[in-house]
């Protein structure tokens, strides 16, 4: 499966908003993100809003990550909501792989061709959503099974401003 060579940003309607195909092999998620177009757009102030990522990403003012060892009820509620929000990504991958079975089986093409195929599948997936070409739900795996088993590496860097933004959000929403 080629999901480990591409990082994606998925929207709330299970659409692909961004794909980063430039890093084959085992690059760390935070390194790929730090060098992505979407990261640069946030840093330059061209994008606003919040992204949600797992603990392999840095906590930034625009990137919310889970709390490692939640201590309070508010932190536990934040992590629960954060996890449910991230399930959209897992569900998107499940639908995407059912829509394009070659993504589940793996591709035996050269890297450049494989990344092109995966990007084309993402574009076609988005078009299927626009034209409401829905798949039956009965074959779908529970995304929580995959979500729980994915090992997460610690990020390479952690600026402090993101922690302050996350804490302010928790205080505003849960107190």
């Amino acid at each position: 499966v080629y999901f480990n060579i591409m990082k994606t940003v998925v929207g709330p309607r299970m659409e692909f908003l961004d794909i980063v195909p430039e890093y084959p092999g085992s690059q760390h998620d935070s390194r790929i993100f730090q060098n992505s177009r979407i990261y640069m757009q946030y840093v330059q102030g061209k994008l606003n809003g919040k992204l949600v990522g797992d603990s392999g990403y840095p906590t930034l003012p625009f990137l919310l990550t889970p709390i490692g060892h939640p201590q309070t009820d508010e932190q536990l509620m934040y992590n629960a909501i954060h996890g449910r929000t991230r399930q959209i990504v897992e569900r998107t991958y499940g639908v995407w792989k059912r829509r394009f079975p070659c993504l589940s089986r793996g591709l035996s093409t050269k890297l450049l061709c494989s990344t092109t195929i995966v990007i084309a599948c993402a574009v076609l997936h988005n078009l299927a959503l626009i034209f409401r070409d829905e798949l039956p739900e009965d074959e779908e795996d529970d995304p929580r099974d995959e979500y729980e088993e994915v090992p997460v590496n610690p990020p390479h860097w952690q600026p402090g401003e993101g922690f302050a933004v996350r804490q302010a959000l928790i205080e505003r929403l849960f107190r």
Side-chain angles (χ1 to χ4, degrees):
V1 180
Y2 288 94
F3 296 115
N4 62 346
I5 65 169
M6 293 195 181
K7 297 302 167 201
T8 62
V9 176
V10 174
R13 292 176 300 279
M14 297 181 15
E15 72 273 30
F16 289 100
L17 301 175
D18 192 46
I19 284 191
V20 180
E22 290 91 12
Y23 295 91
S26 59
Q27 291 287 329
H28 194 279
D29 291 350
S30 65
R31 179 176 300 275
I32 295 171
F33 179 65
Q34 188 178 3
N35 290 291
S36 72
R37 180 183 58 229
I38 200 162
Y39 172 85
M40 295 309 285
Q41 289 174 330
Y42 270 101
V43 169
Q44 294 168 355
K46 294 178 181 176
L47 292 175
N48 57 16
K50 304 286 186 235
L51 297 172
V52 175
D54 65 29
S55 58
Y57 290 94
T59 302
L60 300 170
F62 53 86
L63 178 58
L64 301 172
T65 59
I67 295 173
H69 302 287
Q71 303 292 318
T72 66
D73 288 341
E74 292 85 4
Q75 292 174 342
L76 289 167
M77 287 188 292
Y78 167 84
N79 272 5
I81 290 171
H82 184 278
R84 283 197 305 266
T85 304
R86 284 197 48 239
Q87 285 179 0
I88 295 168
V89 175
E90 303 304 326
R91 187 166 188 271
T92 301
Y93 284 157
V95 169
W96 193 33
K97 290 189 292 187
R98 281 192 303 127
R99 184 169 275 139
F100 303 101
C102 65
L103 299 175
S104 293
R105 290 190 299 265
L107 302 170
S108 59
T109 57
K110 291 184 180 182
L111 182 63
L112 180 60
C113 188
S114 295
T115 57
T116 303
I117 290 169
V118 173
I119 291 170
C121 289
V123 170
L124 291 171
H125 169 82
N126 284 354
L127 287 171
L129 293 175
I130 290 168
F131 292 109
R132 302 184 194 278
D133 180 31
E134 298 189 16
L135 295 171
E137 294 290 329
D138 58 339
E139 299 174 29
E140 186 173 341
D141 295 332
D142 186 354
R144 289 174 289 190
D145 294 340
E146 286 182 43
Y147 175 73
E148 306 269 337
E149 297 174 16
V150 175
V152 177
N153 298 321
H156 292 291
W157 45 279
Q158 283 283 1
E161 187 180 355
F163 292 110
V165 168
R166 181 175 69 188
Q167 186 58 37
L169 177 74
I170 290 170
E171 289 174 9
R172 191 176 80 232
L173 295 178
F174 300 113
R175 288 192 182 178

